Amino acid sequence: MGFSQRNRTISSGSEASAASRKLRPHVVNLSGGTFSSTGAFTTTKKDVDAIFATHLPAFVAEHGGVVPVVFYAHGGLVDEQSGLRIAATQVDWWKSNGVYPIHFVWETSLAGAITSAVGDWAQGRRGWLDDAKDRVLELAARFGQGQAIWGQMKRSAEAAPAGDGGARYVAEALGAYCAAHPDTITVHAVGHSAGSIFHSFFLPTALKAGVPAIETLSLLAPAVRTDVFEKQIVPLVGHGVESLAMFTMTEKLERDDTCLGAHGKSLLYLVRASFEPEEFSPILGLEECLRADPVLAGLFGLSGASGSPGVGGAADIIWSKTPSGPLTSRSTSTSHGGFDNDIPTMDSVARRVTGSSRIQSFPATRDLGDELWPMAGPAAPRPVGTHQALCVGINAYPGGDALYGCVADAEAWAAQFSIAGFAVRTLLDAEATRQNILLGLLDLVASSVAGDVLVFQYAGHGTYVDDLDGDESEAGNEETKYDEALCPIDFRDGNLIIDDDLGEIFDQLPDGVSLTAFFDSCHSGDGQRRLQLQPADVADLSAASAPHGRRARFIIPDEQTSRNYRAKRGAPARAGKRALTREVLFSACKPTEVAYETGGHGNFTVAASLLAVPSANRLTNAEFLAKVREAFSSQPRQNPDFNGPRAAKSRVFLGALVGGAGSVSAAGVTSAGSAAGGVAAGAGSGSGFGSGSATIPGAISALLDAAAGVGTGVGAGVGAGGIGAGGVAAGGIDPLAASAGPAGMAGSAGSRETDAAARALAAAAFLRAAADFIDG
């Protein structure tokens, strides 16, 4: 990753041409695994042929004896220009030591890509909680593009020595050379960081292509997964790979390193937490992963204390810092990116390659690491008591999955939250991808401070998926083991949001921050962790999703969606439950039920959103839930539920937990709220819609408008025989009694709380009667 001052750039014009000519015998440039035909430096099959037909034989003839040939694979932090700079720095040095170098420049460009993936998270915009910012950044990288970028890089490393890959052509040309010129060269490999991934696939291919042996393999801060390394390389140690050495930092130095200017540990920790499909996958270069793996602990002889030399193993491990000792086993790098320009490390590698202690020392270079990552800027102070909301609604699912009321639900909730003083962001339809939803929610949580009040609302499909990490094994769920999931717009590609994803974000809530979630979807009953509704139960309800007025918001996952999900998540790498649950969730139904939408809105949304404003800072969470359930009391299909810590039931609904304006204790809750408008609920009669009645969507919209303080409204009456709609009154709606039962028992205008409850009852009754009418 380093480079000398005289080789900082590959210049244009004649200078660039001269540099290119100098490097051409020593560089194989790859893009996506195949020979690169564009960019600053191209490679063709003829260039590779020239290396083994002309340049290497000339070097061997010049030096006589057996010449070491080293294949160098740089790390994943560099783009094409940086890879060429590394080659330009090293080529003359290797040649001065009698070694013929061949550099794979494989255009990973990971540094810039990661920076783009995490965006302003890497710029230190969040400075809110130093002891948690690493985890927030890891989640931002995981939920953003980090995994896709790293996965593409790994696919390039795997493709290069396979099929028509450029590295396979090199391996076959090398094998042919070894067969035609026996005992004239020895073959060696050096891989830095992600270069260890490259060599994990290139070296087996080279051996199969007829290369007699890889005399030495030197890995610098390797970023390859331990399972890949054990499958690809470990069986070759002593059987093709004759000598293996790894140079890496102790656990303490890894944790003292930084990357992205904000992440307080080395890149390997970020890779482990964010880039592999399985979160917290073991990585070869991390001491804790080596010691926890019996195969690798035995291979490297790791029975002593941390940072001690490996003793009795088949392979050597050199811990940085080791400034003294054997000349082949020294390293002083204190950063992940510093190994390839650390003089003791590079000199040790050269001595292993040449078999001689007398070498030309590596030239002093400058560490590029600080230039790769942006430095964190100062965090802007945050006012206490901010109210923020994220509202998500998805109708436009592809295929036959479309819904009709979710966008309207999100907009209705957004209107209510705005009235309650929240700054609201919405994600609707195409905007509501898995990445956008999770990063939006993470932004909500990570930018909060004690005293803030947060809301997350979701309306869309719910589903279930196989539990991959085993955390769902609990009462009532031992055998089936499913994770609940929300369905973003791109869920068919495997991009589901499971309860574990939400739990990881909710776990980052700073102390003193209130977060309330509202889920109007199926399987919303315990969105934090557990699914109780089984696939057979869901299948029995499939008729309810017919495209008419009443529609269940659930998806039965097909096999392709499940395969896509498993491929993106990988195999389980961890298990365990959340240590602490601080958020609260109001769900549209119990875990054993499905959520319905009718006439352009979710049934839960119509009832609950009307109560949000009058209940905020006035009722407890338990009292709010009671009011919502009252609106559903006459039908058993759907029963809204509450999930959260037991003590949270007595907290103030949408109230601040500490400090700030508007924070109150449960003891100080007033008994009633207020709404800006009223809904007329009167007795209705007849067998169907009267000639003056409003449409179902219009009536529901009017109900919501009334709760938002719109100057006109619709009075909806529900009777035993059908639905009637009252008139519109300018300036508001007179509060009438909500009908209940055959006689249409009349209520009266009382307290504001009673009015709000009556409006919710009327809305729910309207939806039930509408659904019953439609279903016949």
Side-chain angles (χ1 to χ4, degrees):
M1 184 158 33
F3 60 97
S4 64
Q5 293 288 354
R6 58 190 173 86
N7 287 319
R8 288 195 63 179
T9 59
I10 301 298
S11 306
S12 58
S14 59
E15 187 178 350
S17 298
S20 179
R21 286 194 299 271
K22 184 177 179 180
L23 288 178
R24 193 158 299 283
H26 302 284
V27 168
V28 176
N29 196 8
L30 305 174
S31 179
T34 61
F35 292 125
S36 177
S37 58
T38 60
F41 191 101
T42 62
T43 296
T44 65
K45 291 181 178 180
K46 290 183 177 180
D47 293 325
V48 175
D49 293 340
I51 290 175
F52 293 101
T54 304
H55 306 303
L56 177 58
F59 189 86
V60 171
E62 179 183 352
H63 287 77
V66 179
V67 170
V69 177
V70 65
F71 288 86
Y72 189 95
H74 62 65
L77 302 179
V78 297
D79 57 14
E80 179 189 35
Q81 287 286 341
S82 297
L84 292 171
R85 287 195 292 266
I86 293 170
T89 297
Q90 293 191 13
V91 162
D92 286 344
W93 172 68
W94 283 115
K95 292 170 71 175
S96 72
N97 284 297
V99 178
Y100 189 90
I102 298 176
H103 280 252
F104 286 110
V105 175
W106 52 304
E107 299 188 19
T108 55
S109 303
L110 189 61
I114 292 176
T115 302
S116 298
V118 299
D120 54 6
W121 297 90
Q123 302 291 344
R125 178 166 64 89
R126 314 293 192 286
W128 52 275
L129 202 59
D130 287 344
D131 60 348
K133 69 179 181 181
D134 282 1
R135 187 58 186 146
V136 169
L137 186 61
E138 289 164 2
L139 291 174
R142 171 164 290 277
F143 296 146
Q145 290 295 311
Q147 188 179 141
I149 294 164
W150 188 257
Q152 180 58 51
M153 185 203 67
K154 292 198 301 180
R155 286 190 291 274
S156 295
E158 218 171 322
D164 61 350
R168 178 172 181 174
Y169 191 86
V170 172
E172 292 173 345
L174 174 63
Y177 182 91
C178 291
H181 305 87
D183 303 322
T184 61
I185 66 170
T186 56
V187 179
H188 308 260
V190 181
H192 180 210
S193 188
S196 61
I197 304 174
F198 187 95
H199 277 324
S200 291
F201 294 96
F202 172 68
L203 298 185
T205 299
L207 291 170
K208 289 179 182 178
V211 176
I214 309 299
E215 294 295 333
T216 68
L217 169 59
S218 300
L219 300 178
L220 317 180
V224 64
R225 287 167 51 129
T226 57
D227 58 346
V228 173
F229 182 75
E230 290 179 25
K231 178 182 178 181
Q232 296 290 116
I233 298 297
V234 170
L236 302 177
V237 176
H239 305 281
V241 176
E242 301 308 306
S243 176
L244 169 64
M246 178 167 62
F247 298 76
T248 195
M249 291 188 288
T250 61
E251 182 176 348
K252 181 181 185 305
L253 284 181
E254 293 282 356
R255 292 183 177 275
D256 288 342
D257 193 12
T258 61
C259 66
L260 292 171
H263 190 260
K265 293 184 283 290
S266 77
L267 177 74
L268 294 185
Y269 277 102
L270 189 62
V271 168
R272 182 188 180 199
S274 303
F275 295 159
E276 292 291 346
E278 300 88 357
E279 196 173 12
F280 303 115
S281 300
I283 300 298
L284 183 63
L286 290 174
E287 180 178 4
E288 62 191 82
C289 298
L290 289 169
R291 293 186 180 277
D293 188 309
V295 172
L296 297 177
L299 178 69
F300 290 103
L302 297 179
S303 58
S306 175
S308 62
V311 178
D316 293 334
I317 187 164
I318 299 89
W319 300 107
S320 186
K321 289 183 170 184
T322 304
S324 60
L327 294 176
T328 56
S329 302
R330 297 182 179 183
S331 182
T332 60
S333 180
T334 57
S335 69
H336 174 82
F339 278 89
D340 64 349
N341 49 37
D342 177 61
I343 293 175
T345 299
M346 296 303 292
D347 285 356
S348 294
V349 170
R351 290 187 176 103
R352 289 173 179 270
V353 170
T354 63
S356 172
S357 62
R358 299 174 61 85
I359 63 164
Q360 180 71 39
S361 189
F362 192 74
T365 62
R366 184 163 62 85
D367 189 349
L368 187 60
D370 291 342
E371 294 186 354
L372 288 171
W373 310 114
M375 294 304 294
R382 283 291 311 274
V384 176
T386 298
H387 287 51
Q388 304 278 339
L390 175 65
C391 295
V392 178
I394 310 171
N395 288 339
Y397 290 103
D401 300 325
L403 291 169
Y404 307 100
C406 297
V407 169
D409 284 355
E411 291 173 338
W413 279 107
Q416 296 302 302
F417 295 143
S418 294
I419 293 170
F422 285 77
V424 181
R425 178 189 177 192
T426 60
L427 292 173
L428 307 176
D429 282 341
E431 300 172 318
T433 62
R434 178 181 187 271
Q435 175 178 317
N436 287 348
I437 293 171
L438 290 175
L439 288 182
L441 183 56
L442 184 64
D443 181 76
L444 196 73
V445 168
S447 61
S448 63
V449 296
D452 286 358
V453 180
L454 310 179
V455 164
F456 174 49
Q457 173 269 327
Y458 170 83
H461 277 305
T463 189
Y464 56 89
V465 290
D466 293 339
D467 171 30
L468 300 180
D469 65 7
D471 70 336
E472 301 292 339
S473 298
E474 54 188 74
N477 202 31
E478 297 93 337
E479 295 181 1
T480 52
K481 295 183 181 178
Y482 295 104
D483 273 307
E484 294 171 305
L486 305 182
C487 298
I489 192 73
D490 54 344
F491 81 97
R492 288 293 185 193
D493 296 327
N495 296 317
L496 292 157
I497 295 175
I498 64 171
D499 44 16
D500 298 335
D501 297 331
L502 299 176
E504 285 189 305
I505 295 178
F506 293 153
D507 283 346
Q508 309 313 311
L509 276 171
D511 290 335
V513 173
S514 167
L515 189 148
T516 304
F518 301 87
F519 285 2
D520 199 343
S521 65
C522 293
H523 308 332
S524 63
D526 186 4
Q528 295 109 317
R529 277 290 181 263
R530 185 176 63 255
L531 173 68
Q532 294 176 10
L533 188 64
Q534 305 304 330
D537 301 324
V538 177
D540 290 341
L541 294 167
S542 59
S545 65
H548 56 44
R550 180 189 296 152
R551 185 173 175 85
R553 291 177 172 177
F554 74 85
I555 290 289
I556 300 175
D558 60 8
E559 183 53 37
Q560 185 59 55
T561 301
S562 298
R563 280 198 300 268
N564 292 342
Y565 169 76
R566 289 192 295 269
K568 292 199 173 185
R569 294 286 174 142
R574 65 182 179 87
K577 297 185 180 299
R578 298 174 59 196
L580 179 65
T581 300
R582 286 180 286 183
E583 74 283 357
V584 298
L585 165 67
F586 291 97
S587 55
C589 56
K590 291 181 177 296
T592 53
E593 301 169 342
V594 294
Y596 291 94
E597 62 174 32
T598 309
H601 274 293
N603 295 17
F604 171 73
T605 290
V606 172
S609 66
L610 288 169
L611 288 166
V613 172
S615 302
N617 282 315
R618 294 176 175 86
L619 303 183
T620 64
N621 285 324
E623 290 169 338
F624 173 77
L625 177 65
K627 295 299 180 186
V628 176
R629 282 180 171 174
E630 188 178 355
F632 287 85
S633 59
S634 65
Q635 59 87 18
R637 285 191 302 263
Q638 179 178 340
N639 294 276
D641 209 355
F642 172 90
N643 291 277
R646 184 183 300 272
K649 286 189 175 182
S650 61
R651 291 180 193 162
V652 179
F653 178 69
L654 298 185
L657 297 182
V658 295
S663 64
V664 293
S665 65
V669 175
T670 60
S671 62
S674 63
V679 177
S685 61
S687 60
F689 289 102
S691 59
S693 65
T695 64
I696 293 176
I700 297 171
S701 296
L703 290 169
L704 294 168
D705 288 344
V710 177
T712 61
V714 176
V718 182
I723 304 171
V728 174
I733 302 173
D734 294 331
L736 302 179
S739 65
M745 297 184 323
S748 62
S751 68
R752 290 178 178 178
E753 177 187 351
T754 303
D755 290 345
R759 287 191 294 275
L761 280 167
F766 183 89
L767 290 172
R768 288 196 303 273
D772 292 338
F773 171 76
I774 293 169
D775 286 349

